[in-house]
Amino acid sequence: MMKKFLAYFGFAVIEALLLFKNTESIAYPIAVILALVGIFYTVKHFNRNSLIITGLIVMLSLSAMLIMDWTTIFIAKKLIILLLILLVVENGQALHVQNMRSELYRYLIVVKTTLLASFKALNYAQQMLTKHIKNPHIKYILLGLIISLPLGSIVVALLSSADPMFARITEGGFGWLLHGINLFNLIELPLHIIFFYMVAYGYVWNFKHQPVVTKTYQAKGSSVIAITFTAVLALIYALFSLIQIAGLVHFKAGQVNYAAFAREGFFQLLAVSTLNLLVIIISVEFFHQHKLLDILLYIISGNTFILIGSSLTRMVLYVQAYHLTWLRLFVLWFLIVLTAWLIGAIIYVRKRRGLFLKFTLLSFAGCYVIFALSNPNLQVVKYNMANHVPQKPTDMTYYQAVQIEDIFATLARQPQNIAAKRFVEQRRSWVLATPPQNLLHFNLAVYQAQHAARSLK
């Protein structure tokens, strides 16, 4: 038992040291891979689908060391958490899924049991200390130190805001003692260790003690209700789709401004497309099956494809009229994902059973791996330079809107572009001032930017 406790605690220490204020570097994929190795070693029973999920987790973690786009990395990290939950569900006991509601219930059970088991980790640690530490005073001291961590962080934060001198001392660090260590770090690091210990214990416990879930949900609503509202929606969408097709075919630039046409209604169409997907799923989940209802859902699905196509056309026109940004690229990417989800929904309507939530998560994660590893900021700059090359030194808005490290090396190789040259000159000193990277802080985008800055004459 003590070996098991030391294994959990040792893992927590390693993870906390790797990721402490260092989550946009090679340390992040190393920490993720170590966690997966620990899971596989502890659990020792996985099905084939787990390999796909594990591969997606590893590839998503690589984005933290390849780019410096915090938004892209943030979404990747949240996806990793969802995939870890899916990994538990995929290896659960007696998983009986009749429809999406029973599938969602299974996910919620996993989250609930993991959270509860994480708090059991504290009781497990207390039992180990009680069993192996005979002197009660040592146990009381350790307990007091643990309690002092959250209280100390609150007190230090309040005192730092109250007195500038105290803030400079705590934030400036104890350079005379340990380089780079300050009072906040001394409090935060143990908290991170406790957090990782609790998560590791709760996650592994969930693998081995999952409850048998047999709860299912049956569609009880009358199909007449669903047929009625889907028929009305189908007529509205059919009329709108005909107008859209005629408008795109007979579109004349002289009558309507391209940018105005693209900007007006894009997000409304995107919202309607997403709403249609929800209507299809709700109709399948809550109402009895009927052939006419299935036909109407197929019609709505077809009209939704037209709405997605119209949204895509409007966004492309808008990008052509102005320029590409990270958000516009993300929206174009999401339209592709939405199309994949809609295809899955059509199959779900036909079969009336299956792991639709699993499909949506894996398809989203798989597409996002391509999006994240392609370095979206770099793709934005490459497109804009090829199609909207600014020549005025002041016209650098789309350069300044993205992370410097992701684009600096590319712009440094474009001396003929006046705006790019000006941007590189202004940012070169900032890139060179970035502290040199050690092995655990390595980030490819930062390395390329620093190398390009040093190469400039």
Side-chain angles (χ1 to χ4, degrees):
M1 294 292 288
M2 191 62 181
K3 291 182 179 179
K4 182 180 177 181
F5 169 74
L6 293 176
Y8 284 127
F9 188 77
F11 167 81
V13 171
I14 294 173
E15 293 286 306
L17 291 175
L18 281 174
L19 299 178
F20 187 67
K21 299 185 182 300
N22 185 30
T23 57
E24 281 82 33
S25 68
I26 195 174
Y28 189 80
I30 291 176
V32 170
I33 293 172
L34 284 177
L36 291 173
V37 170
I39 293 170
F40 274 78
Y41 177 78
T42 305
V43 180
K44 296 180 181 178
H45 63 276
F46 286 90
N47 57 33
R48 295 178 180 178
N49 293 333
S50 300
L51 297 178
I52 299 176
I53 300 171
T54 303
L56 289 174
I57 292 173
V58 172
M59 287 188 286
L60 285 170
S61 68
L62 291 176
S63 63
M65 64 165 285
L66 297 178
I67 61 177
M68 279 297 290
D69 179 11
W70 293 306
T71 304
T72 304
I73 295 174
F74 176 82
I75 297 175
K77 291 176 180 177
K78 304 312 168 191
L79 269 176
I80 289 175
I81 296 175
L82 293 177
L83 289 174
L84 287 173
I85 296 174
L86 178 60
L87 193 61
V88 179
V89 173
E90 194 63 29
N91 295 276
Q93 303 174 15
L95 176 57
H96 301 289
V97 175
Q98 300 296 327
N99 49 34
M100 197 177 72
R101 279 182 290 169
S102 58
E103 187 184 3
L104 178 61
Y105 177 79
R106 187 70 183 88
Y107 279 78
L108 294 177
I109 287 294
V110 168
V111 174
K112 172 188 170 183
T113 53
T114 302
L115 290 175
L116 293 177
S118 297
F119 287 99
K120 290 182 179 179
L122 298 177
N123 182 53
Y124 178 69
Q126 189 268 337
Q127 291 176 356
M128 290 299 100
L129 294 176
T130 301
K131 183 177 180 180
H132 293 87
I133 299 178
K134 303 303 180 181
N135 191 333
H137 296 290
I138 297 178
K139 292 186 291 185
Y140 298 150
I141 292 173
L142 291 174
L143 181 61
L145 288 174
I146 293 174
I147 295 174
S148 69
L149 291 174
L151 292 177
S153 61
I154 296 173
V155 171
V156 169
L158 292 174
L159 292 179
S160 297
S161 62
D163 183 58
M165 182 65 70
F166 183 79
R168 282 196 295 269
I169 294 174
T170 56
E171 295 175 5
F174 304 98
W176 53 271
L177 181 61
L178 290 172
H179 178 69
I181 301 297
N182 58 45
L183 188 55
F184 281 109
N185 293 349
L186 293 175
I187 294 176
E188 288 180 40
L189 184 57
L191 287 176
H192 286 198
I193 294 174
I194 295 173
F195 171 78
F196 281 114
Y197 163 72
M198 293 175 62
V199 170
Y201 181 90
Y203 191 77
V204 173
W205 186 93
N206 206 0
F207 265 105
K208 297 182 176 181
H209 302 85
Q210 288 191 65
V212 177
V213 178
T214 58
K215 186 173 183 178
T216 59
Y217 295 87
Q218 300 296 329
K220 298 181 180 180
S222 172
S223 58
V224 177
I225 300 174
I227 291 172
T228 303
F229 71 74
T230 53
V232 174
L233 290 176
L235 288 174
I236 297 173
Y237 292 146
L239 177 62
F240 183 83
S241 298
L242 290 174
I243 295 174
Q244 287 296 295
I245 294 173
L248 292 175
V249 171
H250 301 288
F251 181 82
K252 294 182 180 180
Q255 295 177 346
V256 182
N257 179 268
Y258 261 33
F261 173 77
R263 183 170 56 251
E264 292 296 330
F266 166 77
F267 286 104
Q268 291 90 329
L269 291 178
L270 182 61
V272 171
S273 300
T274 307
L275 179 63
N276 284 354
L277 181 62
L278 294 176
V279 168
I280 294 171
I281 299 302
I282 290 173
S283 299
V284 173
E285 289 291 317
F286 293 95
F287 299 96
H288 291 298
Q289 186 175 9
H290 194 282
K291 290 185 177 180
L292 181 56
L293 175 59
D294 290 349
I295 293 173
L296 289 171
L297 292 178
Y298 291 142
I299 293 174
I300 292 177
S301 300
N303 290 329
T304 306
F305 282 120
I306 297 176
L307 294 176
I308 293 175
S310 178
S311 300
L312 181 63
T313 303
R314 289 169 186 260
M315 179 53 69
V316 170
L317 290 175
Y318 192 71
V319 170
Q320 291 175 348
Y322 292 96
H323 58 265
L324 189 63
T325 64
W326 185 94
L327 181 59
R328 292 167 193 167
L329 181 62
F330 182 83
V331 168
L332 290 171
W333 168 86
F334 182 73
L335 288 173
I336 298 174
V337 176
L338 191 61
T339 303
W341 286 353
L342 187 59
I343 294 173
I346 293 174
I347 298 174
Y348 189 57
V349 170
R350 179 180 176 82
K351 293 187 175 182
R352 292 279 170 163
R353 62 180 292 126
L355 302 173
F356 185 72
L357 279 180
K358 175 184 173 182
F359 167 77
T360 57
L361 179 56
L362 289 180
S363 59
F364 187 92
C367 293
Y368 195 79
V369 165
I370 300 174
F371 178 81
L373 297 184
S374 66
N375 194 344
N377 278 335
L378 183 59
Q379 302 307 319
V380 166
V381 170
K382 284 184 176 180
Y383 174 85
N384 289 335
M385 291 183 65
N387 298 276
H388 300 271
V389 180
Q391 292 299 327
K392 298 179 182 179
T394 56
D395 192 6
M396 298 185 292
T397 53
Y398 71 82
Y399 294 155
Q400 296 170 344
V402 300
Q403 193 68 26
I404 297 172
E405 293 89 343
D406 288 336
I407 65 173
F408 186 88
T410 300
L411 295 183
R413 294 191 293 266
Q414 303 292 331
Q416 73 281 2
N417 187 309
I418 298 175
K421 183 178 180 181
R422 179 70 177 272
F423 177 86
V424 169
E425 291 174 351
Q426 290 180 349
R427 303 292 180 169
R428 180 172 180 264
S429 59
W430 186 89
V431 172
L432 290 174
T434 305
Q437 294 184 324
N438 58 36
L439 181 59
L440 286 179
H441 288 78
F442 176 80
N443 181 282
L444 182 62
V446 176
Y447 170 79
Q448 291 176 334
Q450 292 179 339
H451 179 73
R454 296 189 191 99
S455 302
L456 293 175
K457 297 181 179 179

